[in-house]
Amino acid sequence: MKTTNLVLFAAVTLSALTGCRGQTSQDAPVFGIRNMFNQPKYLIQEESDFFPDHRTMRPLVEGVIARDEDVDLRIAQGRLDDQSGYVLEIPREVVMRMGGMDSLQKRGRDVYGIFCAICHDEAGGGNGMAAQHAQAVGAAAFAPPSFHQDRLRHAPDGQIFATITNGKNNMPPYAMQIPVNDRWAVVSYVRVLQLAQPKLPGGN
């Protein structure tokens, strides 16, 4: 008897569920908790009468710093404290907190392989797959530079860090994708690649 009732109940339930599929209704949808559906909130870019400037999206308080951003300009931006130029070498604090230069360079190799090699190639010569494709379609002007030219060999570490952070020319900024410490790690690995490659006679 119990089995018969169970089968009957299952059949009725299945019939009720399948009978609702594909049908339309003029009735308003049912919301168990209305205040989760109709929330008193502003939408993005919506005008507000509450604030004098009528902006819903409030500007950041002056001087606010993101929780994951380093307050030291040398580390966060690669620039000297007085903003007069770039730091010449990777800040010692970064090297220490990454476990030493060896660990920093190993991390840099991994991050470089993920984000940089596609354009700059594994050796830093500027002939990665993206560059090869650009040349194949006649867009050689979009090819990235080689790290082995004198201009970049003698560039301050902070300048390379800033380029990774902010982008340059056709290179997009990577501040959102690569954390601060990892950007410095990439700088350290670029230096490894430069030391590993002999300078070519007449190279620029």
Side-chain angles (χ1 to χ4, degrees), residues 8-28:
L8 183 61
F9 176 75
V12 171
T13 304
L14 184 62
S15 174
L17 291 175
T18 56
C20 296
R21 295 184 61 187
Q23 296 184 3
T24 59
S25 172
Q26 298 300 321
D27 298 333

Side-chain angles (χ1 to χ4, degrees), residues 123-147:
N127 195 35
M129 291 301 296
Q132 294 177 32
H133 179 70
Q135 293 172 0
V137 298
F142 291 91
S146 168
F147 292 138

Side-chain angles (χ1 to χ4, degrees), residues 22 26 32 58 75 81-82 89 98 115 139-140 161 166 174 179:
Q26 298 300 321
R58 308 309 303 152
I75 298 174
D81 291 331
D82 60 3
E89 297 179 346
M98 291 295 284
F115 292 99
F161 174 86
N166 305 312
Y174 283 94

Side-chain angles (χ1 to χ4, degrees), residues 14-197:
L14 184 62
S15 174
L17 291 175
T18 56
C20 296
R21 295 184 61 187
Q23 296 184 3
T24 59
S25 172
Q26 298 300 321
D27 298 333
V30 177
F31 297 99
I33 306 176
R34 293 292 307 179
N35 62 352
M36 293 298 290
F37 181 72
N38 296 326
Q39 298 182 32
K41 64 182 180 182
Y42 287 118
L43 300 178
I44 296 175
Q45 304 291 355
E46 186 177 0
E47 186 176 351
S48 169
D49 293 328
F50 183 81
F51 300 103
D53 60 3
H54 301 293
R55 288 191 297 175
T56 297
M57 303 176 69
R58 308 309 303 152
L60 296 177
V61 178
E62 185 178 353
V64 69
I65 297 174
R67 182 176 61 180
D68 57 350
E69 184 177 345
D70 208 299
V71 296
D72 190 333
L73 290 180
R74 298 176 307 115
I75 298 174
Q77 299 180 12
R79 299 189 66 86
L80 299 173
D81 291 331
D82 60 3
Q83 294 284 349
S84 61
Y86 297 105
V87 296
L88 297 179
E89 297 179 346
I90 298 172
R92 187 171 181 273
E93 298 90 329
V94 175
V95 178
M96 296 300 293
R97 67 191 183 195
M98 291 295 284
M101 187 57 77
D102 287 344
S103 297
L104 186 70
Q105 291 171 348
K106 288 177 182 177
R107 177 61 182 168
R109 179 188 60 195
D110 294 340
V111 178
Y112 180 94
I114 296 170
F115 292 99
C116 312
I118 186 65
C119 290
H120 294 280
D121 77 46
E122 295 289 345
N127 195 35
M129 291 301 296
Q132 294 177 32
H133 179 70
Q135 293 172 0
V137 298
F142 291 91
S146 168
F147 292 138
H148 307 298
Q149 54 183 297
D150 283 344
R151 177 177 65 84
L152 295 180
R153 285 180 182 273
H154 298 294
D157 286 351
Q159 183 176 353
I160 298 176
F161 174 86
T163 300
I164 299 170
T165 303
N166 305 312
K168 186 176 181 180
N169 298 331
N170 299 310
M171 175 181 166
Y174 283 94
M176 294 296 293
Q177 295 92 334
I178 308 178
V180 170
N181 289 344
D182 284 353
R183 276 176 260 157
W184 283 115
V186 170
V187 174
S188 73
Y189 188 66
V190 167
R191 296 309 192 197
V192 169
L193 293 177
Q194 290 173 334
L195 290 173
Q197 295 292 322

